[in-house]
């Protein structure tokens, strides 16, 4: 079973009304897209419905907004940034894989990033667990060939090079995924909850 | 009575005048004061390099020792101005070299600086001490090598956010062994490697070094060796930090940090692994300035732990990954906070958790000394802004940027007019304001009515009609810089009070409603303004129709007429 197109997070039907579909658009945008961003005399429409009035097109088309210096924008582009999605969470993060030196490092960072998750020792293995309901999460990634694999199978550097995006799957969904044993290699001392 | 004072007395009195507005005012009193003032002015500030020529500046202020110049308009920072627009410093350096100016300090912002300029600078002014370049471009590390080699008394080399071509030469090694005078060295914006051994030796022999900002290429083990040589540092910037908290380097760094008890300001961390942050805990208690805005690798939990230790913070630059909760921690910990900047961490990922009005309200409640704000946020409300205005009446700079430029009040869906109105009404000392979100002419009515000290205003996607712009032009008596984009202001507003622009430094309007005809009329009426149109399209076929809207217009007052270095795509009307 391969995961669906990432544009539709599988939990969107059951997450209690949270809008988790990914679309290109500004946060708060609905389907309405205005074609022009200029507000010249003839376009200046005094609309009672402020919502419909204020729908500029997707971010990609507005030059220079938000006003962030090019220098800063370029700096943030460096490094190997991959998106991280967590099943059930309505937001994504991006991580720079280059700043971590091991899988342990990365999983610690995941725990920091997604504050609902904590690292627990389960049968002598470090696992990411939802602190609210005890559900285990398994880190998976999409590699260069588009296949979804379990994190931890290949040497760290090889992983950094081939990883295109990360997804923390509920472990109940991760059955049959990847090619090797589903365990993250632990280094040194274990961490307890 | 004061006219009978001998010049020496005037001279002595004027030596206490340090601010430019004071000196400018004094020079207008009478001819005698004008002369004494001009010969005694050592620091010259020119906010628009095209307002005056280098020759005239030198002839008026022959004893200039320190020159500050600004080139491109502010919106150049956001890609709104094409390459080769102008702002070249070379003519200034040539003129000062010819005039045998005793230049000691040069501070440039948004200017084009060639290696040739740097070489001429390095060789022409034997007492040159301080070079500060902010958001400049056009030079390479070869130019820096010339500065390092020739400026024997160099105290300060401060490169902030410049685009520098790194030739991977050995520019840092060009500082001679005899150079011991450096007190400030900032090369964080350079991308290439430096000779680390040369750097260590340089730091070791410059006992007055107070400020050091290294680039990403200086490895962590070099960092700890350098810090060991410079425990007197007050300001440190380190982009390349330790990754592995189990490593020997990490331990060494931790130990050496404990000895750096003078550090008050910290920045960099481009490349930090949050687990290594505890190494800086010892110095946090003394920090007054912290810039983590280039550190996307630190998330909320770690940030909060760090902030908890920084009780004396006055300035904080951070990414929005801190979240509203994290800002709450800032509010309860950093009671002396004066300046806060929250930058967007990711401009591309939808649904990224940014900060909202809640974080800002918390800060305003906890930090009553806040006077300077730059806040990129997901959403805002009028109620929040009204609360902020009440809590913090001391704002001097208030810049709010909603990621969606025309988003309304998140709760009421109304425009954000009332919120910003409250800010300008409450903050009587407000000098700089950037507005965003859904805004009508009403907000400009408030700004015109209440923002009496306002000097700079940035407007984007706001207003309904010419009235909006008119409220501002008529009301803000101290306005110096007005920059407007994508707003429905046209010729009527532009031409209503043409004399106003001679009291201002500059006006920028892009994607608005002004036409060629309107700009031409203005240019004809006001010979002491340069009205420049930037054309990026294929409109090279003669002059466009008067009724055609102008894409980008930049006008500024000047004493020297149209500039001679304007490129093809800039038309001075």
């Amino acid at each position: 079973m391969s995961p669906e197109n990432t544009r539709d997070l599988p939990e969107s039907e059951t997450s209690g009304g949270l809008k988790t579909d990914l679309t290109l658009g500004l946060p708060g945008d609905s389907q309405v897209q205005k074609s022009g961003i200029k507000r010249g005399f003839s376009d200046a429409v005094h609309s009672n419905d402020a919502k419909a009035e204020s729908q500029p097109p997707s971010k990609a088309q507005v030059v220079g907004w938000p006003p962030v210096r090019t220098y800063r924008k370029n700096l943030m582009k460096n490094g190997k940034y991959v998106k991280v999605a967590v099943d059930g969470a309505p937001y994504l993060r991006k991580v720079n894989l280059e700043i971590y030196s091991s899988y342990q490092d990365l999983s610690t960072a995941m725990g920091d990033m997604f504050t609902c998750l904590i690292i627990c020792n389960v049968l002598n293995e470090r696992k990411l667990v939802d602190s609210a309901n005890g559900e285990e999460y398994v880190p998976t990634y999409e590699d260069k060939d588009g296949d979804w694999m379990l994190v931890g199978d290949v040497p760290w550097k090889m992983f950094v090079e081939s990883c295109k995006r990360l997804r923390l799957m509920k472990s109940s969904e991760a059955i049959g995924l990847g090619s090797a044993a589903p365990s993250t290699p632990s280094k040194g001392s274990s961490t307890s909850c | 009575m004061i006219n009978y004072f001998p010049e020496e007395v005037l001279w002595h009195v004027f030596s206490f005048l340090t601010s430019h507005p004071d000196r400018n005012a004094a020079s207008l009193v009478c001819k005698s004061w004008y002369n004494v003032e001009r010969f005694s002015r050592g620091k010259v500030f020119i906010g628009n390099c095209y307002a005056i020529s280098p020759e005239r500046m030198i002839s008026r202020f022959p004893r200039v020792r320190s020159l500050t110049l600004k080139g491109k308009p502010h919106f150049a920072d956001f890609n709104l101005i094409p390459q080769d627009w102008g702002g070249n410093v070379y003519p200034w350096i040539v003129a000062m070299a010819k005039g045998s100016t005793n230049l000691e300090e040069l501070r440039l912002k948004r200017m084009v600086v060639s290696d040739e300029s740097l070489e001429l600078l390095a060789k022409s002014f034997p007492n040159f001490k301080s070079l500060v370049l902010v958001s400049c471009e056009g030079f390479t590390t070869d130019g820096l090598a010339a500065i390092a080699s020739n400026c024997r008394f160099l105290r300060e080399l401060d490169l902030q956010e410049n685009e520098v071509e790194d030739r991977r030469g050995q520019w840092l090694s060009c500082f001679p062994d005899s150079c011991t005078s450096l007190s400030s060295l900032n090369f964080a914006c350079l991308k290439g490697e430096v000779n680390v051994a040369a750097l260590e030796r340089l730091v070791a022999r410059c006992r007055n070094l107070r400020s050091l900002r290294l680039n990403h290429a200086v490895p962590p083990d070099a960092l700890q060796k350098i810090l060991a040589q410079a425990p007197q540092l007050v300001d440190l910037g380190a982009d390349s930090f330790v990754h592995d908290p189990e490593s020997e380097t990490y331990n060494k760094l931790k130990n050496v940090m404990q000895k750096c008890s003078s550090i008050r300001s910290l920045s960099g961390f481009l490349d930090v692994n949050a687990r290594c942050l505890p190494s800086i805990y010892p110095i946090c208690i003394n920090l007054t300035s912290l810039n983590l805005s280039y550190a996307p690798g630190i998330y909320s939990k770690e940030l909060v732990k760090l902030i908890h230790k920084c009780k004396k913070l006055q300035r904080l630059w951070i990414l929005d990954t801190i979240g509203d909760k994290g800002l709450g921690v800032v509010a309860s910990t950093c009671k002396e906070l004066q300046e806060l900047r929250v930058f967007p961490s990711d401009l591309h990922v939808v649904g990224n958790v940014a900060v909202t009005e809640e974080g800002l309200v918390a800060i305003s409640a906890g930090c009553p000394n806040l006077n300077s704000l730059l806040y990129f946020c997901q959403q805002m409300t009028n109620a929040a802004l009204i609360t902020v205005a009440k809590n913090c009446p001391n704002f001097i700079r208030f810049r709010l940027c909603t990621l969606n430029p025309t988003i309304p009040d998140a709760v009421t869906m109304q425009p954000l007019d009332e919120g910003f109105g409250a800010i300008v009404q409450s903050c009587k000392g407000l000098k700089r304001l950037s507005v965003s979100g859904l805004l009508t002419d009403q907000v400009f009515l408030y700004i015109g009515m209440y923002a009496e000290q306002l000097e700079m205003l940035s407007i984007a996607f706001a207003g309904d009609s010419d009235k909006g712009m008119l409220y501002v032009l008529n009301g803000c008596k101290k306005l110096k810089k007005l920059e407007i984009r994508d707003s429905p202001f046209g010729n009527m507003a532009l031409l209503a009070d043409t004399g106003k622009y001679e009291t201002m430094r500059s006006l920028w309007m892009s994607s608005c409603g002004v036409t060629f005809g309107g700009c031409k009329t203005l240019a004809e009426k006001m010979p002491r303004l340069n009205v420049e149109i930037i054309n990026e399209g294929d409109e090279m076929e003669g002059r466009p129709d008067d009724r055609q809207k102008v894409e980008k217009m930049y006008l500024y007052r000047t004493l020297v007429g149209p500039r001679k270095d304007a490129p093809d795509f800039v038309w001075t009307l």
Side-chain angles (χ1 to χ4, degrees):
Chain A
M1 177 196 91
S2 57
E4 298 140 53
N5 185 333
T6 45
R7 288 193 119 231
D8 296 309
L9 289 177
E11 273 68 38
S12 54
E13 294 93 4
T14 54
S15 54
L18 279 174
K19 189 162 187 290
T20 52
D21 284 356
L22 299 177
T23 52
L24 275 182
L26 295 162
D29 245 359
S30 60
Q31 270 53 5
V32 176
Q33 302 245 313
K34 207 172 181 186
S35 57
I37 52 170
K38 289 187 201 178
R39 300 182 62 185
F41 287 113
S42 45
D43 307 73
V45 174
H46 233 318
S47 172
N48 286 331
D49 184 353
K51 224 196 277 199
E53 235 251 286
S54 61
Q55 301 292 342
S58 62
K59 276 184 194 168
Q61 293 169 28
V62 182
V63 174
W65 196 271
V68 172
R69 276 193 190 166
T70 317
Y71 177 85
R72 182 175 284 279
K73 269 197 211 160
N74 290 340
L75 261 187
M76 307 295 264
K77 270 197 232 151
N78 290 336
K80 173 141 191 194
Y81 283 92
V82 297
K83 292 184 192 175
V84 184
V86 175
D87 285 357
Y91 55 86
L92 298 183
R93 291 284 196 191
K94 260 192 180 176
V95 284
N96 178 1
L97 290 179
E98 283 176 5
I99 65 177
Y100 305 109
S101 42
S102 66
Y103 287 110
Q104 184 175 12
D105 231 355
L106 178 62
S107 77
T108 308
M110 300 282 200
D112 285 345
M113 249 182 274
F114 298 99
T115 48
C116 52
L117 299 176
I118 52 177
I119 299 176
C120 277
N121 252 356
V122 179
L123 302 171
N124 287 329
E125 284 171 16
R126 290 164 53 91
K127 292 237 193 271
L128 286 162
V129 169
D130 188 333
S131 54
N133 56 26
E135 173 123 37
E136 264 180 45
Y137 282 83
V138 171
T140 65
Y141 70 102
E142 183 183 3
D143 72 3
K144 277 200 278 221
D145 303 321
D147 298 321
W148 283 87
M149 316 284 284
L150 286 172
V151 165
D153 297 341
V154 301
W156 172 255
K157 283 214 157 45
M158 201 184 292
F159 162 73
V160 170
E161 216 220 315
S162 65
C163 173
K164 275 176 32 193
R165 73 176 106 224
L166 281 160
R167 179 178 159 193
L168 298 184
M169 282 178 102
K170 294 195 172 151
S171 72
S172 45
E173 312 243 349
I175 300 164
L177 199 64
S179 55
S183 63
T184 45
S186 50
K187 271 189 188 176
S189 53
S190 50
T191 325
S192 46
C193 297
Chain B
M1 179 63 148
I2 203 149
N3 282 333
Y4 298 113
F5 280 12
E7 282 200 353
E8 297 84 51
V9 177
L10 278 180
W11 196 282
H12 182 70
V13 171
F14 284 6
S15 68
F16 293 101
L17 287 180
T18 46
S19 90
H20 300 292
D22 285 347
R23 280 191 162 263
N24 292 343
S27 67
L28 292 174
V29 168
C30 63
K31 238 184 176 169
S32 159
W33 281 39
Y34 177 87
N35 277 320
V36 174
E37 195 285 313
R38 70 180 255 257
F39 280 107
S40 68
R41 193 183 297 215
K43 283 195 170 161
V44 174
F45 170 85
I46 296 177
N48 173 8
C49 64
Y50 290 120
I52 190 75
S53 72
E55 293 75 21
R56 281 180 67 165
M57 185 277 291
I58 293 168
S59 93
R60 179 169 171 192
F61 301 115
R63 305 239 178 111
V64 58
R65 285 176 302 103
S66 162
L67 177 63
T68 302
L69 281 173
K70 293 189 182 181
K72 300 186 211 174
H74 177 230
F75 278 176
D77 281 351
F78 317 126
N79 283 345
L80 288 179
I81 289 173
Q83 284 283 71
D84 304 322
W85 175 87
N88 208 315
V89 75
Y90 189 67
W92 292 84
I93 299 181
V94 164
M96 287 188 289
K98 266 200 205 136
S100 303
T101 304
N102 182 19
L103 191 67
E104 293 180 9
E105 178 178 89
L106 186 62
R107 310 169 73 96
L108 305 177
K109 188 168 187 180
R110 270 182 233 112
M111 294 201 71
V112 175
V113 182
S114 61
D115 281 346
E116 207 183 2
S117 305
L118 290 176
E119 277 152 22
L120 185 59
L121 177 70
K123 295 188 179 143
S124 310
F125 308 107
N127 290 321
F128 193 72
K129 295 192 175 68
S130 168
L131 181 63
V132 180
L133 302 178
V134 180
S135 296
C136 296
E137 53 170 351
F139 60 104
T140 77
T141 44
D142 290 351
L144 296 178
I147 297 287
S149 311
N150 296 294
C151 301
R152 295 194 302 144
F153 302 115
L154 196 68
R155 281 200 216 140
E156 183 175 20
L157 179 60
D158 185 0
L159 308 172
Q160 298 175 33
E161 299 192 350
N162 303 291
E163 295 293 334
V164 187
E165 185 193 322
D166 206 307
R167 295 247 170 104
R168 289 156 213 282
Q170 293 281 325
W171 70 273
L172 200 108
S173 314
C174 293
F175 281 108
D177 289 339
S178 53
C179 172
T180 57
S181 47
L182 274 183
S183 66
S184 167
L185 178 62
N186 173 6
F187 60 92
C189 64
L190 297 186
K191 299 191 180 65
E193 280 162 21
V194 292
N195 183 326
V196 169
L199 175 60
E200 287 172 28
R201 285 195 304 271
L202 182 64
V203 170
R205 64 181 183 269
C206 293
R207 304 315 309 156
N208 285 328
L209 195 66
R210 292 281 176 273
S211 167
L212 180 64
R213 295 191 186 190
L214 311 170
N215 73 350
H216 190 250
V218 177
D221 52 272
L223 171 62
Q224 78 49 39
K225 277 195 216 146
I226 287 166
L227 285 179
Q229 300 276 12
Q232 79 282 5
L233 278 182
V234 170
D235 167 44
L236 174 67
D239 267 350
S240 186
F241 221 71
V242 180
H243 285 180
D244 184 359
E246 322 277 332
S247 63
E248 183 61 30
T249 309
Y250 176 80
N251 279 328
K252 284 194 195 158
L253 190 64
K254 215 162 64 135
N255 289 332
V256 98
M257 275 289 182
Q258 280 169 337
K259 301 203 181 82
C260 294
S261 53
S262 304
I263 294 184
R264 296 288 173 273
S265 163
L266 205 53
S267 63
F269 300 99
L270 189 59
D271 189 8
V272 72
N273 180 340
R275 292 202 296 150
C276 294
L277 282 180
S279 60
I280 64 166
Y281 286 173
I283 54 170
C284 286
I285 185 62
N286 292 321
L287 283 183
T288 56
S289 170
L290 181 59
N291 181 356
L292 291 172
S293 66
Y294 291 118
I298 311 179
Y299 285 92
S300 237
K301 259 197 218 162
E302 288 301 331
L303 260 180
V304 163
K305 269 197 232 165
L306 187 64
I307 300 280
H308 261 308
K309 301 186 182 292
C310 300
K311 299 198 197 309
K312 294 214 193 125
L313 224 48
Q314 292 172 18
R315 173 169 26 168
L316 177 63
W317 290 24
I318 202 108
L319 290 174
D320 61 6
T321 44
I322 192 172
D324 287 331
K325 283 218 184 79
L327 288 177
V329 176
V330 174
S332 54
T333 311
C334 309
K335 293 306 187 184
E336 293 170 44
L337 197 68
Q338 294 175 24
E339 176 180 332
L340 175 68
R341 295 196 191 189
V342 181
F343 293 94
S345 56
D346 200 321
L347 309 171
H348 306 294
V349 175
V350 170
N352 186 40
V353 178
V355 293
T356 70
E357 74 278 7
E358 282 178 28
L360 186 58
V361 169
I363 291 279
S364 73
C367 310
N369 293 332
L370 198 64
N371 61 43
S372 175
L373 180 76
L374 172 60
Y375 198 74
F376 284 84
C377 56
Q378 186 102 305
Q379 64 184 51
M380 188 48 58
T381 65
N382 285 309
L385 286 173
I386 291 168
T387 306
V388 169
K390 228 190 304 186
N391 290 339
C392 294
N394 298 319
F395 274 117
I396 299 173
R397 284 175 288 275
F398 190 90
R399 293 193 281 165
L400 193 85
C401 180
T402 54
L403 294 174
N404 172 343
T406 56
I407 196 173
D409 179 315
V411 170
T412 66
M413 304 313 285
Q414 292 302 300
L416 290 174
D417 300 334
E418 298 306 311
F420 282 107
I423 295 284
V424 291
Q425 199 172 348
S426 164
C427 304
K428 308 216 186 297
L430 194 68
K431 285 193 179 166
R432 183 169 179 184
L433 177 66
S434 297
V435 295
S436 64
L438 184 66
L439 295 165
T440 71
D441 286 343
Q442 185 71 9
V443 72
F444 300 115
L445 174 65
Y446 290 141
I447 292 173
M449 262 170 69
Y450 296 112
E452 287 171 14
Q453 302 300 318
L454 197 65
E455 294 178 4
M456 182 171 175
L457 178 62
S458 303
I459 300 170
F461 303 96
D464 309 306
S465 73
D466 285 325
K467 279 204 250 161
M469 186 167 163
L470 283 174
Y471 291 141
V472 171
L473 291 175
N474 291 335
C476 300
K477 300 297 176 204
K478 298 214 176 158
L479 196 63
K480 286 202 195 134
K481 290 194 283 188
L482 180 58
E483 47 186 28
I484 307 172
R485 62 167 289 186
D486 295 278
S487 301
F489 307 135
N491 294 339
M492 206 267 275
L494 181 71
L495 298 171
D497 180 5
T498 56
K500 172 79 176 173
Y501 306 123
E502 277 191 3
T503 70
M504 290 167 55
R505 187 185 300 169
S506 65
L507 167 68
W508 167 279
M509 291 181 78
S510 60
S511 304
C512 296
V514 295
T515 68
F516 274 100
C519 294
K520 276 203 298 202
T521 307
L522 179 58
E524 273 159 37
K525 242 187 137 187
M526 306 293 297
R528 285 195 300 196
L529 295 180
N530 279 351
V531 180
E532 295 182 5
I533 309 294
I534 297 176
N535 288 288
E536 293 167 282
D538 317 299
E539 299 136 58
M540 298 312 275
E541 306 269 322
R543 285 299 158 99
D545 196 277
D546 273 4
R547 287 162 301 175
Q548 195 167 330
K549 287 200 189 149
V550 164
E551 213 15 73
K552 293 176 184 173
M553 177 202 74
Y554 179 56
L555 69 83
Y556 53 89
R557 67 180 174 193
T558 178
L559 293 174
V560 290
R563 57 185 175 111
K564 299 179 184 65
D565 66 350
D568 285 339
F569 56 82
V570 172
W571 295 347
T572 308
L573 298 180

